[in-house]
Amino acid sequence: MSNINQGAEKIYTDLKSKAEEINSAREDKTIVMVGTATCGKAAGAIDVREAFIEEIKHKNINAEVVEVGCIGHCYAEPLIIISKPGFPSLSYGNVDEGLSRRLVEDFLIGDDPCYEFALAALDPNDEFPTFSDFPRGVFEEKVILEQCGLIDPEDIDQYIAVDGYHALVNALGKEPGDVVEMIKESNLRGRGGAGFSTGTKWEICRNAIGPVKYVICNADEGDPGAFMDRSILESNPHQVIEGLMISGYAVGASQGFIYVRSEYPQAVRRINTALKQAREKGLLGENILDTGFDFDIEVFLGSGAFVCGEETALINSMEGKTGMPRHRPPYPAVEGFRGKPSIINNVKTLSYVPHILRKGVDWFKGIGTPDSPGTAVFALVGKVENTGLVEVPMGTTLRTLVFDVGGGIRKEKEFKAVQIGGPSGGCLPESALDIPIDFDSLQEAGAVMGSGGLVVLDENDCMVEIARFFLDFTQKESCGKCTFCRLGTKHMLDILKRITIGQGEMEHIEILGELALDIKNGSLCGLGKTAPNPVLTTLRYFMDEYVEHIEGKRCPALMCQELINFYIVPKKCSKLCSACVGSCPVEAIFTRDDGLKAIDLDKCVKCNSCPAACPPEYDAIIKVSPPEVVEELEKENA
């Protein structure tokens, strides 16, 4: 070990000893951790936090309230964890102000853990099941989410106490080329969606000519339904910073950037706090850990254009130009930001780097599949019971992800499809549920890994409308540089709109297929090349629904507004109930002469308020398609 690295190890050891001392001092104290990532805040976590603070102060209890990030169980937000000496650390879900006050009174003061409200214990014990005992616990393997929701993201000592920044020390003890070779050997593939070899990208940049190089963290997450990167930045920003620093050392850069969209104010605030703390500890800036390595990080706020997730558009944005992609080559690793060799890695990709440096290449390759080692992080949303962030080994099947980890479909509905890979991903049917999740298998099925958004769809979702919805998003987000993307997606979208309102023709199906391939082949960047994926996969797996819309002028899923009508079944309706009348915003529901209710279809705006208001014991309001079916039903019930 060189003298320089011995010095770095000693400085780090001192930092860690102090961090552990601070943590040890807290072990004798009751700690209430409140999940205040954006998911928690949206569910009311700030009110819960304030209720705990107020009650603890009022009762004069020796307890501390700490804000943490997202633990992944977003379906149970607001979510808290109470660590009290003598008891297992317990998490509680769906906490409100009333439960907060009761937990203070009964648990913090009265030693009753209120197990009836507990969700899980954090560690194995004789008292209460842990998250590992959940069905999803069998399949999950947390690597980059391991500390999320368990440490204070605004306290660097909590990160250091769990070996944070030790991977940086390890890296600084190696030759930069050896670090590159280690990442290359690990076969870490970019988690931003493309799946390109991270080590190879680093190697190209390291070998590029020029004394000035840059490393950039791409945190421009804009997929509908995706919040993986935001949650990691809100929950464990130091992990990302450490990964970015290691990449900078490996390729020979002294300046890094975190490109994050301004719509993520909490993530931005926590990143800036983390950067400030790292500088104060001598872990960022000049002569880091007395090794002679200079490196600093600047935060760049993006304006929220989806195309800026593409690396050359991101570079243009950082240079003050319009966020449009550039022709490649030259690739950014050779000629990127300000014309200098630049590495751009996703938040998740960089988060894996410290773990690989600390635990080794063999450990990482021991998880997942040979061609896609490691884990995959998904934002699991849609019609699934347990929404939230999940991390599973690559190779896990979609079926396991949806039914075992996600808990299956809500309200006992039938599974229909998963939309995977963001708006440019694909829709896969039940027959594809046993496909292993990895870059190559999903691409073969017509979808893409993408950044990790996964939307679960049920029997009430129309696949034509779903394709229209996602194409509408990508068409609006097209920067307009390529004719194929700008006009081709617009033409496809117009056709899909016509089909969903009953004006489709069978030849439209062929045109959609041809346009999709032209756009994929002719577009400059990933947005255009992948935008047709939802259409192509729904044509491939759900052709019968397109045919029903075109030939039958009906929507089998009863979702397309122009192809449905609402109808109140007289035999089910009650004269004593007027819930639907009160719920209608346009006064389209009236009371017939016999006291039952009916709908004036000329006024009805199909807002879905009346079936939602109809009491379950009646369940009298149905949707029918095609719309003309109402006339037949009225004749039958006249």
Side-chain angles (χ1 to χ4, degrees):
M1 185 182 291
S2 70
N3 290 335
I4 290 178
N5 200 48
Q6 283 180 344
E9 277 283 357
K10 184 176 185 315
I11 295 171
Y12 177 78
T13 301
D14 289 344
L15 288 175
K16 188 174 179 186
S17 295
K18 289 176 184 173
E20 288 175 336
E21 279 179 26
I22 295 170
N23 266 12
S24 297
R26 299 168 76 236
E27 288 177 359
D28 296 330
K29 193 174 184 182
T30 297
I31 307 292
V32 180
M33 292 183 273
V34 183
T36 57
T38 297
C39 53
K41 279 187 169 180
I46 297 301
D47 290 338
V48 169
R49 182 198 63 183
E50 294 306 311
F52 270 107
I53 291 174
E54 184 182 310
E55 201 67 8
I56 286 170
K57 185 178 179 183
H58 179 66
K59 304 288 185 185
N60 195 24
I61 303 167
N62 182 27
E64 183 181 353
V65 179
V66 176
E67 291 188 41
V68 294
C70 173
I71 201 171
H73 295 257
C74 305
Y75 62 91
E77 294 284 6
L79 200 148
I80 67 155
I81 296 170
I82 297 180
S83 293
K84 180 175 179 178
F87 293 87
S89 294
L90 292 165
S91 69
Y92 299 83
N94 301 307
V95 181
D96 57 19
E97 294 161 84
L99 180 57
S100 303
R101 294 190 178 91
R102 177 163 175 185
L103 286 169
V104 171
E105 186 71 34
D106 289 0
F107 189 14
L108 272 58
I109 297 175
D111 286 347
D112 173 7
C114 299
Y115 286 132
E116 64 271 32
F117 300 115
L119 191 64
L122 296 192
D123 301 306
N125 64 91
D126 297 329
E127 304 289 330
F128 206 77
T130 68
F131 281 119
S132 298
D133 297 315
F134 280 36
R136 65 184 279 178
V138 176
F139 302 98
E140 274 200 288
E141 184 165 354
K142 291 193 175 184
V143 176
I144 62 175
L145 298 184
E146 183 182 12
Q147 300 300 333
C148 292
L150 302 180
I151 61 173
D152 181 352
E154 299 190 42
D155 183 351
I156 191 173
D157 285 323
Q158 292 198 21
Y159 182 66
I160 293 174
V162 291
D163 276 346
Y165 288 108
H166 196 220
L168 174 66
V169 178
N170 288 344
L172 295 177
K174 300 177 187 293
E175 290 296 324
D178 292 339
V179 177
V180 172
E181 193 56 37
M182 191 173 179
I183 297 301
K184 193 176 170 185
E185 192 183 338
S186 74
N187 197 17
L188 171 64
R189 299 175 67 171
R191 292 325 200 242
F196 188 75
S197 165
T198 303
T200 300
K201 188 187 275 190
W202 287 18
E203 185 179 50
I204 294 170
C205 185
R206 175 164 175 73
N207 293 335
I209 299 170
V212 177
K213 296 171 184 175
Y214 298 108
V215 289
I216 302 167
C217 171
N218 183 353
D220 189 65
E221 181 179 60
D223 301 13
F227 48 88
M228 305 77 58
D229 294 355
R230 186 198 68 210
S231 290
I232 291 171
L233 290 170
E234 290 179 343
S235 304
N236 194 359
H238 286 288
Q239 179 180 242
V240 184
I241 291 169
E242 188 178 10
L244 188 60
M245 292 180 70
I246 293 170
S247 74
Y249 175 74
V251 305
S254 59
Q255 179 67 54
F257 297 89
I258 298 178
Y259 186 101
V260 56
R261 51 178 51 214
S262 54
E263 292 97 324
Y264 286 179
Q266 174 149 279
V268 172
R269 184 173 60 77
R270 287 185 171 173
I271 292 168
N272 280 320
T273 300
L275 291 174
K276 179 173 179 288
Q277 292 176 344
R279 290 190 192 100
E280 290 170 352
K281 294 279 185 184
L283 292 165
L284 193 63
E286 295 182 359
N287 194 22
I288 294 169
L289 295 172
D290 205 20
T291 60
F293 175 52
D294 299 334
F295 186 85
D296 210 338
I297 296 174
E298 190 177 318
V299 174
F300 188 97
L301 296 183
S303 299
F306 182 66
V307 73
C308 287
E310 200 281 334
E311 55 185 18
T312 58
L314 182 151
I315 288 171
N316 265 9
S317 169
M318 290 181 66
E319 291 176 346
K321 303 169 187 170
T322 303
M324 288 182 169
R326 304 174 183 175
H327 285 282
R328 299 182 301 177
Y331 290 94
V334 177
E335 186 179 321
F337 181 51
R338 296 170 180 162
K340 310 297 182 187
S342 306
I343 286 295
I344 302 176
N345 284 140
N346 172 261
V347 168
K348 296 185 289 298
T349 310
L350 291 169
S351 294
Y352 284 105
V353 170
H355 296 277
I356 294 171
L357 263 291
R358 239 187 351 255
K359 298 177 182 174
V361 169
D362 291 339
W363 163 81
F364 186 71
K365 293 174 80 170
I367 306 170
T369 66
D371 292 330
S372 298
T375 58
V377 176
F378 286 100
L380 193 58
V381 299
K383 308 291 182 60
V384 67
E385 285 285 355
N386 302 327
T387 55
L389 273 190
V390 300
E391 184 172 9
V392 294
M394 287 279 193
T396 301
T397 66
L398 286 167
R399 187 183 302 279
T400 295
L401 189 59
V402 173
F403 288 94
D404 296 314
V405 178
I409 311 302
R410 282 185 197 161
K411 299 179 181 177
E412 299 181 347
K413 299 281 186 181
E414 291 291 321
F415 170 87
K416 186 171 227 178
V418 290
Q419 204 281 340
I420 186 169
S424 305
C427 299
L428 301 178
E430 185 170 13
S431 60
L433 277 180
D434 293 315
I435 289 175
I437 298 168
D438 62 61
F439 293 99
D440 305 318
S441 300
L442 289 174
Q443 194 166 17
E444 193 175 325
V448 293
M449 188 79 186
S451 57
L454 194 143
V455 184
V456 180
L457 306 171
D458 71 13
E459 62 191 79
N460 295 132
D461 290 306
C462 167
M463 301 313 295
V464 183
E465 169 59 19
I466 291 294
R468 187 209 61 78
F469 172 83
F470 283 109
L471 192 67
D472 183 62
F473 176 84
T474 48
Q475 198 278 324
K476 286 175 178 169
E477 292 289 341
S478 170
C479 71
K481 186 170 185 175
C482 310
T483 306
F484 285 102
C485 181
R486 183 179 69 248
L487 298 181
T489 55
K490 178 69 169 60
H491 195 176
M492 289 182 73
L493 182 60
D494 288 343
I495 291 174
L496 286 172
K497 285 178 178 175
R498 292 184 63 182
I499 294 175
T500 57
I501 62 174
Q503 296 178 1
E505 299 173 8
M506 286 305 292
E507 65 178 3
H508 283 154
I509 292 177
E510 187 177 348
I511 295 173
L512 280 175
E514 290 174 357
L515 275 172
L517 294 178
D518 289 342
I519 294 166
K520 285 175 80 72
N521 293 329
S523 294
L524 179 61
C525 79
L527 189 152
K529 288 183 179 299
T530 57
N533 282 344
V535 180
L536 285 173
T537 50
T538 49
L539 285 173
R540 178 175 171 180
Y541 296 114
F542 300 96
M543 176 62 80
D544 56 329
E545 293 198 30
Y546 280 89
V547 174
E548 289 279 7
H549 280 71
I550 294 171
E551 292 189 338
K553 307 299 180 191
R554 63 181 292 269
C555 176
L558 303 172
M559 188 178 187
C560 295
Q561 294 288 295
E562 298 293 331
L563 300 182
I564 64 169
N565 259 334
F566 288 82
Y567 179 70
I568 299 177
V569 181
K571 289 181 181 176
K572 291 186 174 182
C573 186
S574 170
K575 296 178 182 177
L576 303 176
C577 174
S578 297
C580 59
V581 177
S583 72
C584 182
V586 293
E587 298 181 349
I589 301 179
F590 61 94
T591 302
R592 306 189 324 187
D593 292 340
D594 58 5
L596 300 178
K597 312 301 178 296
I599 300 175
D600 182 342
L601 295 179
D602 291 333
K603 291 183 178 179
C604 179
V605 293
K606 303 171 186 176
C607 64
N608 220 34
S609 297
C610 53
C614 185
E617 60 267 32
Y618 303 134
D619 194 22
I621 304 177
I622 62 172
K623 297 179 190 175
V624 296
S625 183
E628 296 76 24
V629 171
V630 168
E631 296 172 11
E632 299 173 15
L633 292 172
E634 286 177 341
K635 288 178 184 175
E636 289 175 10
N637 292 289

